[in-house]
Amino acid sequence: MIVTDQLRKVYYTDEVATTALDGVNLQVDGGEFVAVMGPSGCGKSTLLNLLGLLDTATGGTYHLAGQDVTHFAERRRARMRKRSIGFVFQSFNLIDDLTVFENVELPLLYLGVPRAERRTRVERVLNEFQILHRRNHFPQQLSGGQQQRAAVARAVIAAPKLILADEPTGNLDSAHGQEVMDILESLNRGGTTIIMVTHSAACADRANRVLHLLDGSVVAEEPQR
């Protein structure tokens, strides 16, 4: 699913070059659940942005689903993101002016899915995540746990092969955090590949593998189960 070779990311200003990733070699097979841990500023979110085609590498190569996507132009990266990758963020990133239904429906609109099919798919996933009764509510009318459920529903509505989760339980209490982890684990059992950045050892324990980053490099790797 994912292979990187000597992946590097350097941010430049007029006077300073800051290395965020320094030669990351990574292989993630289809169907794996991988947690990425490390101190703040070690490059975790930068790695997720590169894997999600939200940013481009300064050096090295990145193959996704058998394609060398290292030098894809923005239009090709956007097309692949729409079809193959779902994102879950700590801050939910729901659109305040859209209802739960409309937020979850959005990826299908971008893909040009017909209206009747969109409705069927959105209602099905909202029902699976037990928030169908909130379909006409706006994000600010939901609890934190319900907002993250809606965010995960939006991430999976287009049936992506890969989900990238950046601290998905970071803004939740322990009970709601467990609920979100249960959802991610269930999706993984169904065959979805998941890469999750987390500071939580308890969340990392739910993954198949844990990668430890320090100063932009993978310094340790441990299997979980």
Side-chain angles (χ1 to χ4, degrees):
M1 169 64 77
I2 286 174
V3 179
T4 71
D5 181 40
Q6 292 298 307
L7 200 65
R8 299 184 73 248
K9 181 64 181 180
V10 182
Y11 294 101
Y12 295 96
T13 65
D14 290 341
E15 299 178 356
V16 179
T18 303
T19 300
L21 290 180
D22 190 13
V24 171
N25 297 318
L26 176 64
Q27 179 170 330
V28 178
D29 295 331
E32 277 199 277
F33 189 164
V34 177
V36 181
M37 301 189 75
S40 297
C42 72
K44 301 186 301 296
S45 293
T46 299
L47 177 61
L48 224 58
N49 286 340
L50 293 181
L51 297 180
L53 302 176
L54 296 172
D55 201 356
T56 56
T58 307
T61 60
Y62 173 28
H63 286 76
L64 174 61
Q67 294 188 69
D68 185 349
V69 299
T70 312
H71 302 295
F72 270 18
E74 172 54 30
R75 182 172 295 182
R76 292 187 72 187
R77 294 205 312 272
R79 188 160 57 241
M80 196 156 197
R81 284 196 302 269
K82 290 176 188 177
R83 297 186 178 278
S84 302
I85 305 173
F87 297 90
V88 180
F89 302 97
Q90 177 179 351
S91 56
F92 316 136
N93 283 16
L94 298 171
I95 299 173
D96 289 339
D97 294 336
L98 299 182
T99 65
V100 168
F101 185 98
E102 291 166 338
N103 267 282
V104 176
E105 180 187 35
L106 203 56
L108 301 182
L109 280 169
Y110 291 149
L111 291 171
V113 175
R115 182 177 181 179
E117 184 181 347
R118 292 200 309 268
R119 177 175 179 174
T120 298
R121 290 170 66 172
V122 172
E123 288 180 347
R124 182 173 66 244
V125 75
L126 291 179
N127 186 55
E128 288 174 359
F129 289 175
Q130 300 177 12
I131 52 171
L132 182 59
H133 63 296
R134 298 289 192 181
R135 57 176 291 164
N136 294 320
H137 287 69
F138 293 94
Q140 296 307 314
Q141 297 174 302
L142 306 179
S143 69
Q146 289 169 338
Q147 288 187 60
Q148 193 61 297
R149 282 176 177 269
V152 177
R154 182 185 58 189
V156 305
I157 191 66
K161 300 174 184 175
L162 171 66
I163 289 180
L164 301 176
D166 194 355
E167 293 283 358
T169 65
N171 283 339
L172 304 177
D173 60 33
S174 58
H176 287 124
Q178 287 283 354
E179 291 176 0
V180 169
M181 289 306 304
D182 288 344
I183 291 171
L184 292 178
E185 201 167 20
S186 176
L187 291 167
N188 178 246
R189 286 196 300 269
T192 304
T193 305
I194 298 176
I195 300 177
M196 174 185 66
V197 163
T198 183
H199 281 104
S200 166
C203 290
D205 282 344
R206 309 284 285 267
N208 305 127
R209 269 195 298 153
V210 180
L211 303 178
H212 294 272
L213 261 63
L214 182 65
D215 297 333
S217 298
V218 177
V219 295
E221 177 180 337
E222 52 184 306
Q224 295 294 103
R225 49 186 169 83

PDB file of all heavy atoms in Angstrom, residues 2-10 19-27 46-47 50-51 56-63 68 70-71 215-219:
ATOM      1  N   ILE A   2       1.837   1.332   0.952  1.00  0.00           N
ATOM      2  CA  ILE A   2       2.697   2.509   1.077  1.00  0.00           C
ATOM      3  C   ILE A   2       4.153   2.086   1.170  1.00  0.00           C
ATOM      4  O   ILE A   2       4.496   1.185   1.956  1.00  0.00           O
ATOM      5  CB  ILE A   2       2.322   3.334   2.325  1.00  0.00           C
ATOM      6  CG1 ILE A   2       1.013   4.087   2.101  1.00  0.00           C
ATOM      7  CG2 ILE A   2       3.441   4.308   2.723  1.00  0.00           C
ATOM      8  CD1 ILE A   2       0.510   4.810   3.331  1.00  0.00           C
ATOM      9  N   VAL A   3       4.995   2.715   0.361  1.00  0.00           N
ATOM     10  CA  VAL A   3       6.445   2.513   0.456  1.00  0.00           C
ATOM     11  C   VAL A   3       7.118   3.878   0.295  1.00  0.00           C
ATOM     12  O   VAL A   3       6.906   4.554  -0.714  1.00  0.00           O
ATOM     13  CB  VAL A   3       6.978   1.550  -0.625  1.00  0.00           C
ATOM     14  CG1 VAL A   3       8.491   1.396  -0.484  1.00  0.00           C
ATOM     15  CG2 VAL A   3       6.304   0.187  -0.527  1.00  0.00           C
ATOM     16  N   THR A   4       7.899   4.267   1.290  1.00  0.00           N
ATOM     17  CA  THR A   4       8.710   5.479   1.156  1.00  0.00           C
ATOM     18  C   THR A   4      10.179   5.100   1.238  1.00  0.00           C
ATOM     19  O   THR A   4      10.553   4.157   1.950  1.00  0.00           O
ATOM     20  CB  THR A   4       8.396   6.521   2.251  1.00  0.00           C
ATOM     21  OG1 THR A   4       8.895   6.065   3.513  1.00  0.00           O
ATOM     22  CG2 THR A   4       6.903   6.781   2.351  1.00  0.00           C
ATOM     23  N   ASP A   5      10.998   5.853   0.517  1.00  0.00           N
ATOM     24  CA  ASP A   5      12.437   5.609   0.507  1.00  0.00           C
ATOM     25  C   ASP A   5      13.155   6.945   0.716  1.00  0.00           C
ATOM     26  O   ASP A   5      13.070   7.841  -0.124  1.00  0.00           O
ATOM     27  CB  ASP A   5      12.863   4.978  -0.824  1.00  0.00           C
ATOM     28  CG  ASP A   5      14.355   4.671  -0.874  1.00  0.00           C
ATOM     29  OD1 ASP A   5      14.903   4.219   0.155  1.00  0.00           O
ATOM     30  OD2 ASP A   5      14.970   4.906  -1.927  1.00  0.00           O
ATOM     31  N   GLN A   6      13.812   7.063   1.863  1.00  0.00           N
ATOM     32  CA  GLN A   6      14.596   8.260   2.190  1.00  0.00           C
ATOM     33  C   GLN A   6      13.764   9.542   2.046  1.00  0.00           C
ATOM     34  O   GLN A   6      14.221  10.553   1.512  1.00  0.00           O
ATOM     35  CB  GLN A   6      15.849   8.338   1.317  1.00  0.00           C
ATOM     36  CG  GLN A   6      16.874   7.259   1.609  1.00  0.00           C
ATOM     37  CD  GLN A   6      17.417   7.358   3.040  1.00  0.00           C
ATOM     38  OE1 GLN A   6      17.889   8.419   3.470  1.00  0.00           O
ATOM     39  NE2 GLN A   6      17.326   6.276   3.794  1.00  0.00           N
ATOM     40  N   LEU A   7      12.534   9.483   2.533  1.00  0.00           N
ATOM     41  CA  LEU A   7      11.620  10.621   2.411  1.00  0.00           C
ATOM     42  C   LEU A   7      12.104  11.773   3.297  1.00  0.00           C
ATOM     43  O   LEU A   7      12.367  11.590   4.491  1.00  0.00           O
ATOM     44  CB  LEU A   7      10.207  10.194   2.810  1.00  0.00           C
ATOM     45  CG  LEU A   7       9.053  11.052   2.315  1.00  0.00           C
ATOM     46  CD1 LEU A   7       8.951  10.996   0.793  1.00  0.00           C
ATOM     47  CD2 LEU A   7       7.737  10.584   2.944  1.00  0.00           C
ATOM     48  N   ARG A   8      12.211  12.959   2.694  1.00  0.00           N
ATOM     49  CA  ARG A   8      12.701  14.138   3.417  1.00  0.00           C
ATOM     50  C   ARG A   8      11.743  15.315   3.191  1.00  0.00           C
ATOM     51  O   ARG A   8      11.131  15.435   2.142  1.00  0.00           O
ATOM     52  CB  ARG A   8      14.106  14.545   2.951  1.00  0.00           C
ATOM     53  CG  ARG A   8      15.154  13.490   3.165  1.00  0.00           C
ATOM     54  CD  ARG A   8      16.545  13.995   2.767  1.00  0.00           C
ATOM     55  NE  ARG A   8      17.057  14.955   3.760  1.00  0.00           N
ATOM     56  CZ  ARG A   8      17.243  16.248   3.538  1.00  0.00           C
ATOM     57  NH1 ARG A   8      16.931  16.778   2.364  1.00  0.00           N
ATOM     58  NH2 ARG A   8      17.747  17.035   4.480  1.00  0.00           N
ATOM     59  N   LYS A   9      11.661  16.150   4.237  1.00  0.00           N
ATOM     60  CA  LYS A   9      10.922  17.395   4.107  1.00  0.00           C
ATOM     61  C   LYS A   9      11.678  18.489   4.843  1.00  0.00           C
ATOM     62  O   LYS A   9      11.942  18.372   6.055  1.00  0.00           O
ATOM     63  CB  LYS A   9       9.501  17.272   4.672  1.00  0.00           C
ATOM     64  CG  LYS A   9       8.685  18.559   4.528  1.00  0.00           C
ATOM     65  CD  LYS A   9       8.438  18.933   3.075  1.00  0.00           C
ATOM     66  CE  LYS A   9       7.655  20.212   2.938  1.00  0.00           C
ATOM     67  NZ  LYS A   9       7.412  20.569   1.527  1.00  0.00           N
ATOM     68  N   VAL A  10      12.054  19.521   4.104  1.00  0.00           N
ATOM     69  CA  VAL A  10      12.767  20.657   4.671  1.00  0.00           C
ATOM     70  C   VAL A  10      11.945  21.914   4.409  1.00  0.00           C
ATOM     71  O   VAL A  10      11.488  22.146   3.283  1.00  0.00           O
ATOM     72  CB  VAL A  10      14.172  20.813   4.052  1.00  0.00           C
ATOM     73  CG1 VAL A  10      14.902  21.992   4.701  1.00  0.00           C
ATOM     74  CG2 VAL A  10      14.981  19.523   4.218  1.00  0.00           C
ATOM     75  N   THR A  19      14.668  20.975   9.025  1.00  0.00           N
ATOM     76  CA  THR A  19      14.395  19.618   8.547  1.00  0.00           C
ATOM     77  C   THR A  19      13.311  18.987   9.410  1.00  0.00           C
ATOM     78  O   THR A  19      13.524  18.738  10.604  1.00  0.00           O
ATOM     79  CB  THR A  19      15.669  18.755   8.581  1.00  0.00           C
ATOM     80  OG1 THR A  19      16.658  19.352   7.738  1.00  0.00           O
ATOM     81  CG2 THR A  19      15.371  17.343   8.090  1.00  0.00           C
ATOM     82  N   ALA A  20      12.148  18.728   8.812  1.00  0.00           N
ATOM     83  CA  ALA A  20      11.037  18.118   9.543  1.00  0.00           C
ATOM     84  C   ALA A  20      11.064  16.592   9.439  1.00  0.00           C
ATOM     85  O   ALA A  20      10.714  15.897  10.388  1.00  0.00           O
ATOM     86  CB  ALA A  20       9.708  18.643   9.012  1.00  0.00           C
ATOM     87  N   LEU A  21      11.457  16.072   8.265  1.00  0.00           N
ATOM     88  CA  LEU A  21      11.629  14.629   8.066  1.00  0.00           C
ATOM     89  C   LEU A  21      12.994  14.404   7.446  1.00  0.00           C
ATOM     90  O   LEU A  21      13.384  15.106   6.513  1.00  0.00           O
ATOM     91  CB  LEU A  21      10.547  14.052   7.156  1.00  0.00           C
ATOM     92  CG  LEU A  21       9.124  13.966   7.696  1.00  0.00           C
ATOM     93  CD1 LEU A  21       8.197  13.360   6.650  1.00  0.00           C
ATOM     94  CD2 LEU A  21       9.059  13.158   8.985  1.00  0.00           C
ATOM     95  N   ASP A  22      13.693  13.386   7.946  1.00  0.00           N
ATOM     96  CA  ASP A  22      15.079  13.188   7.526  1.00  0.00           C
ATOM     97  C   ASP A  22      15.323  11.724   7.153  1.00  0.00           C
ATOM     98  O   ASP A  22      15.784  10.929   7.959  1.00  0.00           O
ATOM     99  CB  ASP A  22      16.026  13.622   8.644  1.00  0.00           C
ATOM    100  CG  ASP A  22      17.484  13.676   8.212  1.00  0.00           C
ATOM    101  OD1 ASP A  22      17.735  13.625   6.993  1.00  0.00           O
ATOM    102  OD2 ASP A  22      18.354  13.777   9.097  1.00  0.00           O
ATOM    103  N   GLY A  23      14.954  11.367   5.919  1.00  0.00           N
ATOM    104  CA  GLY A  23      15.255  10.027   5.416  1.00  0.00           C
ATOM    105  C   GLY A  23      14.380   8.935   5.992  1.00  0.00           C
ATOM    106  O   GLY A  23      14.888   7.928   6.504  1.00  0.00           O
ATOM    107  N   VAL A  24      13.062   9.097   5.901  1.00  0.00           N
ATOM    108  CA  VAL A  24      12.130   8.109   6.457  1.00  0.00           C
ATOM    109  C   VAL A  24      11.896   6.985   5.455  1.00  0.00           C
ATOM    110  O   VAL A  24      11.460   7.206   4.326  1.00  0.00           O
ATOM    111  CB  VAL A  24      10.790   8.770   6.825  1.00  0.00           C
ATOM    112  CG1 VAL A  24       9.756   7.701   7.202  1.00  0.00           C
ATOM    113  CG2 VAL A  24      10.980   9.750   7.971  1.00  0.00           C
ATOM    114  N   ASN A  25      12.211   5.774   5.874  1.00  0.00           N
ATOM    115  CA  ASN A  25      11.919   4.568   5.094  1.00  0.00           C
ATOM    116  C   ASN A  25      10.757   3.850   5.764  1.00  0.00           C
ATOM    117  O   ASN A  25      10.832   3.490   6.940  1.00  0.00           O
ATOM    118  CB  ASN A  25      13.129   3.638   5.035  1.00  0.00           C
ATOM    119  CG  ASN A  25      14.316   4.273   4.339  1.00  0.00           C
ATOM    120  OD1 ASN A  25      14.163   4.937   3.321  1.00  0.00           O
ATOM    121  ND2 ASN A  25      15.503   4.094   4.891  1.00  0.00           N
ATOM    122  N   LEU A  26       9.690   3.649   5.012  1.00  0.00           N
ATOM    123  CA  LEU A  26       8.454   3.130   5.606  1.00  0.00           C
ATOM    124  C   LEU A  26       7.773   2.195   4.622  1.00  0.00           C
ATOM    125  O   LEU A  26       7.717   2.468   3.424  1.00  0.00           O
ATOM    126  CB  LEU A  26       7.525   4.300   5.938  1.00  0.00           C
ATOM    127  CG  LEU A  26       6.134   3.998   6.495  1.00  0.00           C
ATOM    128  CD1 LEU A  26       6.251   3.315   7.840  1.00  0.00           C
ATOM    129  CD2 LEU A  26       5.331   5.299   6.619  1.00  0.00           C
ATOM    130  N   GLN A  27       7.276   1.079   5.139  1.00  0.00           N
ATOM    131  CA  GLN A  27       6.438   0.191   4.340  1.00  0.00           C
ATOM    132  C   GLN A  27       5.211  -0.188   5.160  1.00  0.00           C
ATOM    133  O   GLN A  27       5.329  -0.667   6.286  1.00  0.00           O
ATOM    134  CB  GLN A  27       7.187  -1.078   3.918  1.00  0.00           C
ATOM    135  CG  GLN A  27       6.326  -2.029   3.093  1.00  0.00           C
ATOM    136  CD  GLN A  27       7.118  -3.172   2.473  1.00  0.00           C
ATOM    137  OE1 GLN A  27       8.300  -3.021   2.173  1.00  0.00           O
ATOM    138  NE2 GLN A  27       6.475  -4.312   2.290  1.00  0.00           N
ATOM    139  N   THR A  46       3.870  16.122   9.835  1.00  0.00           N
ATOM    140  CA  THR A  46       4.483  16.315   8.515  1.00  0.00           C
ATOM    141  C   THR A  46       4.443  15.024   7.721  1.00  0.00           C
ATOM    142  O   THR A  46       4.108  15.023   6.528  1.00  0.00           O
ATOM    143  CB  THR A  46       5.938  16.798   8.657  1.00  0.00           C
ATOM    144  OG1 THR A  46       5.952  18.057   9.344  1.00  0.00           O
ATOM    145  CG2 THR A  46       6.592  16.965   7.295  1.00  0.00           C
ATOM    146  N   LEU A  47       4.775  13.917   8.374  1.00  0.00           N
ATOM    147  CA  LEU A  47       4.722  12.618   7.700  1.00  0.00           C
ATOM    148  C   LEU A  47       3.312  12.326   7.221  1.00  0.00           C
ATOM    149  O   LEU A  47       3.112  11.896   6.070  1.00  0.00           O
ATOM    150  CB  LEU A  47       5.198  11.515   8.653  1.00  0.00           C
ATOM    151  CG  LEU A  47       5.120  10.079   8.110  1.00  0.00           C
ATOM    152  CD1 LEU A  47       5.988   9.911   6.870  1.00  0.00           C
ATOM    153  CD2 LEU A  47       5.514   9.073   9.194  1.00  0.00           C
ATOM    154  N   LEU A  50       2.461  14.329   4.111  1.00  0.00           N
ATOM    155  CA  LEU A  50       3.091  13.812   2.901  1.00  0.00           C
ATOM    156  C   LEU A  50       2.388  12.540   2.426  1.00  0.00           C
ATOM    157  O   LEU A  50       2.124  12.373   1.234  1.00  0.00           O
ATOM    158  CB  LEU A  50       4.576  13.527   3.141  1.00  0.00           C
ATOM    159  CG  LEU A  50       5.475  14.741   3.391  1.00  0.00           C
ATOM    160  CD1 LEU A  50       6.924  14.284   3.588  1.00  0.00           C
ATOM    161  CD2 LEU A  50       5.407  15.732   2.246  1.00  0.00           C
ATOM    162  N   LEU A  51       2.078  11.652   3.370  1.00  0.00           N
ATOM    163  CA  LEU A  51       1.397  10.408   2.997  1.00  0.00           C
ATOM    164  C   LEU A  51       0.001  10.696   2.444  1.00  0.00           C
ATOM    165  O   LEU A  51      -0.493   9.963   1.583  1.00  0.00           O
ATOM    166  CB  LEU A  51       1.306   9.471   4.201  1.00  0.00           C
ATOM    167  CG  LEU A  51       2.635   8.972   4.786  1.00  0.00           C
ATOM    168  CD1 LEU A  51       2.385   8.046   5.966  1.00  0.00           C
ATOM    169  CD2 LEU A  51       3.479   8.263   3.723  1.00  0.00           C
ATOM    170  N   THR A  56       4.253  18.089  -0.500  1.00  0.00           N
ATOM    171  CA  THR A  56       5.213  17.370  -1.338  1.00  0.00           C
ATOM    172  C   THR A  56       6.548  17.260  -0.620  1.00  0.00           C
ATOM    173  O   THR A  56       6.940  18.146   0.158  1.00  0.00           O
ATOM    174  CB  THR A  56       5.422  18.068  -2.689  1.00  0.00           C
ATOM    175  OG1 THR A  56       5.824  19.425  -2.459  1.00  0.00           O
ATOM    176  CG2 THR A  56       4.134  18.063  -3.497  1.00  0.00           C
ATOM    177  N   ALA A  57       7.258  16.175  -0.890  1.00  0.00           N
ATOM    178  CA  ALA A  57       8.542  15.924  -0.243  1.00  0.00           C
ATOM    179  C   ALA A  57       9.645  16.770  -0.870  1.00  0.00           C
ATOM    180  O   ALA A  57       9.583  17.136  -2.046  1.00  0.00           O
ATOM    181  CB  ALA A  57       8.892  14.447  -0.351  1.00  0.00           C
ATOM    182  N   THR A  58      10.658  17.059  -0.064  1.00  0.00           N
ATOM    183  CA  THR A  58      11.853  17.737  -0.557  1.00  0.00           C
ATOM    184  C   THR A  58      12.797  16.750  -1.219  1.00  0.00           C
ATOM    185  O   THR A  58      13.524  17.092  -2.154  1.00  0.00           O
ATOM    186  CB  THR A  58      12.574  18.453   0.606  1.00  0.00           C
ATOM    187  OG1 THR A  58      11.646  19.301   1.280  1.00  0.00           O
ATOM    188  CG2 THR A  58      13.742  19.284   0.100  1.00  0.00           C
ATOM    189  N   GLY A  59      12.793  15.510  -0.736  1.00  0.00           N
ATOM    190  CA  GLY A  59      13.646  14.480  -1.302  1.00  0.00           C
ATOM    191  C   GLY A  59      13.099  13.102  -1.010  1.00  0.00           C
ATOM    192  O   GLY A  59      12.175  12.935  -0.209  1.00  0.00           O
ATOM    193  N   GLY A  60      13.655  12.091  -1.684  1.00  0.00           N
ATOM    194  CA  GLY A  60      13.181  10.723  -1.517  1.00  0.00           C
ATOM    195  C   GLY A  60      11.999  10.417  -2.418  1.00  0.00           C
ATOM    196  O   GLY A  60      11.609  11.238  -3.251  1.00  0.00           O
ATOM    197  N   THR A  61      11.431   9.226  -2.246  1.00  0.00           N
ATOM    198  CA  THR A  61      10.316   8.797  -3.087  1.00  0.00           C
ATOM    199  C   THR A  61       9.174   8.254  -2.232  1.00  0.00           C
ATOM    200  O   THR A  61       9.376   7.800  -1.110  1.00  0.00           O
ATOM    201  CB  THR A  61      10.743   7.707  -4.087  1.00  0.00           C
ATOM    202  OG1 THR A  61      11.231   6.563  -3.357  1.00  0.00           O
ATOM    203  CG2 THR A  61      11.823   8.217  -5.036  1.00  0.00           C
ATOM    204  N   TYR A  62       7.982   8.306  -2.817  1.00  0.00           N
ATOM    205  CA  TYR A  62       6.774   7.832  -2.150  1.00  0.00           C
ATOM    206  C   TYR A  62       5.925   7.088  -3.172  1.00  0.00           C
ATOM    207  O   TYR A  62       5.525   7.655  -4.189  1.00  0.00           O
ATOM    208  CB  TYR A  62       6.011   9.017  -1.561  1.00  0.00           C
ATOM    209  CG  TYR A  62       4.648   8.698  -0.980  1.00  0.00           C
ATOM    210  CD1 TYR A  62       4.345   7.440  -0.463  1.00  0.00           C
ATOM    211  CD2 TYR A  62       3.658   9.680  -0.917  1.00  0.00           C
ATOM    212  CE1 TYR A  62       3.101   7.158   0.073  1.00  0.00           C
ATOM    213  CE2 TYR A  62       2.418   9.418  -0.369  1.00  0.00           C
ATOM    214  CZ  TYR A  62       2.134   8.153   0.121  1.00  0.00           C
ATOM    215  OH  TYR A  62       0.904   7.874   0.650  1.00  0.00           O
ATOM    216  N   HIS A  63       5.677   5.802  -2.892  1.00  0.00           N
ATOM    217  CA  HIS A  63       4.789   4.989  -3.724  1.00  0.00           C
ATOM    218  C   HIS A  63       3.522   4.689  -2.928  1.00  0.00           C
ATOM    219  O   HIS A  63       3.584   4.237  -1.782  1.00  0.00           O
ATOM    220  CB  HIS A  63       5.461   3.673  -4.131  1.00  0.00           C
ATOM    221  CG  HIS A  63       6.513   3.838  -5.178  1.00  0.00           C
ATOM    222  ND1 HIS A  63       7.771   4.342  -4.903  1.00  0.00           N
ATOM    223  CD2 HIS A  63       6.492   3.562  -6.517  1.00  0.00           C
ATOM    224  CE1 HIS A  63       8.478   4.366  -6.016  1.00  0.00           C
ATOM    225  NE2 HIS A  63       7.736   3.905  -7.005  1.00  0.00           N
ATOM    226  N   ASP A  68       4.133   5.642  -8.205  1.00  0.00           N
ATOM    227  CA  ASP A  68       5.075   6.631  -7.709  1.00  0.00           C
ATOM    228  C   ASP A  68       4.393   7.995  -7.749  1.00  0.00           C
ATOM    229  O   ASP A  68       4.216   8.590  -8.816  1.00  0.00           O
ATOM    230  CB  ASP A  68       6.340   6.639  -8.580  1.00  0.00           C
ATOM    231  CG  ASP A  68       7.416   7.566  -8.024  1.00  0.00           C
ATOM    232  OD1 ASP A  68       7.119   8.351  -7.109  1.00  0.00           O
ATOM    233  OD2 ASP A  68       8.558   7.512  -8.521  1.00  0.00           O
ATOM    234  N   THR A  70       5.434  10.667  -5.999  1.00  0.00           N
ATOM    235  CA  THR A  70       6.356  11.665  -5.452  1.00  0.00           C
ATOM    236  C   THR A  70       6.216  13.018  -6.118  1.00  0.00           C
ATOM    237  O   THR A  70       6.204  14.061  -5.456  1.00  0.00           O
ATOM    238  CB  THR A  70       7.812  11.182  -5.594  1.00  0.00           C
ATOM    239  OG1 THR A  70       7.925   9.832  -5.137  1.00  0.00           O
ATOM    240  CG2 THR A  70       8.753  12.071  -4.796  1.00  0.00           C
ATOM    241  N   HIS A  71       6.105  13.004  -7.438  1.00  0.00           N
ATOM    242  CA  HIS A  71       6.119  14.262  -8.182  1.00  0.00           C
ATOM    243  C   HIS A  71       4.779  14.551  -8.866  1.00  0.00           C
ATOM    244  O   HIS A  71       4.732  15.285  -9.844  1.00  0.00           O
ATOM    245  CB  HIS A  71       7.250  14.243  -9.212  1.00  0.00           C
ATOM    246  CG  HIS A  71       8.601  14.015  -8.617  1.00  0.00           C
ATOM    247  ND1 HIS A  71       9.189  14.919  -7.760  1.00  0.00           N
ATOM    248  CD2 HIS A  71       9.469  12.968  -8.726  1.00  0.00           C
ATOM    249  CE1 HIS A  71      10.371  14.453  -7.383  1.00  0.00           C
ATOM    250  NE2 HIS A  71      10.558  13.280  -7.942  1.00  0.00           N
ATOM    251  N   ASP A 215      13.173  13.559  15.927  1.00  0.00           N
ATOM    252  CA  ASP A 215      13.946  14.465  15.070  1.00  0.00           C
ATOM    253  C   ASP A 215      13.821  14.109  13.592  1.00  0.00           C
ATOM    254  O   ASP A 215      14.790  14.141  12.839  1.00  0.00           O
ATOM    255  CB  ASP A 215      15.422  14.462  15.481  1.00  0.00           C
ATOM    256  CG  ASP A 215      15.633  14.980  16.889  1.00  0.00           C
ATOM    257  OD1 ASP A 215      14.801  15.796  17.353  1.00  0.00           O
ATOM    258  OD2 ASP A 215      16.620  14.574  17.542  1.00  0.00           O
ATOM    259  N   GLY A 216      12.604  13.754  13.185  1.00  0.00           N
ATOM    260  CA  GLY A 216      12.339  13.515  11.773  1.00  0.00           C
ATOM    261  C   GLY A 216      12.725  12.154  11.232  1.00  0.00           C
ATOM    262  O   GLY A 216      12.652  11.926  10.028  1.00  0.00           O
ATOM    263  N   SER A 217      13.113  11.234  12.116  1.00  0.00           N
ATOM    264  CA  SER A 217      13.522   9.899  11.670  1.00  0.00           C
ATOM    265  C   SER A 217      12.795   8.832  12.478  1.00  0.00           C
ATOM    266  O   SER A 217      12.445   9.048  13.651  1.00  0.00           O
ATOM    267  CB  SER A 217      15.035   9.711  11.843  1.00  0.00           C
ATOM    268  OG  SER A 217      15.753  10.638  11.061  1.00  0.00           O
ATOM    269  N   VAL A 218      12.599   7.671  11.881  1.00  0.00           N
ATOM    270  CA  VAL A 218      12.058   6.525  12.605  1.00  0.00           C
ATOM    271  C   VAL A 218      13.187   5.900  13.414  1.00  0.00           C
ATOM    272  O   VAL A 218      14.181   5.435  12.841  1.00  0.00           O
ATOM    273  CB  VAL A 218      11.459   5.487  11.643  1.00  0.00           C
ATOM    274  CG1 VAL A 218      10.965   4.270  12.419  1.00  0.00           C
ATOM    275  CG2 VAL A 218      10.312   6.090  10.833  1.00  0.00           C
ATOM    276  N   VAL A 219      13.042   5.917  14.725  1.00  0.00           N
ATOM    277  CA  VAL A 219      14.125   5.423  15.576  1.00  0.00           C
ATOM    278  C   VAL A 219      13.817   4.065  16.203  1.00  0.00           C
ATOM    279  O   VAL A 219      14.710   3.399  16.728  1.00  0.00           O
ATOM    280  CB  VAL A 219      14.451   6.446  16.693  1.00  0.00           C
ATOM    281  CG1 VAL A 219      15.009   7.728  16.085  1.00  0.00           C
ATOM    282  CG2 VAL A 219      13.222   6.741  17.564  1.00  0.00           C
TER     283      VAL A 219
END
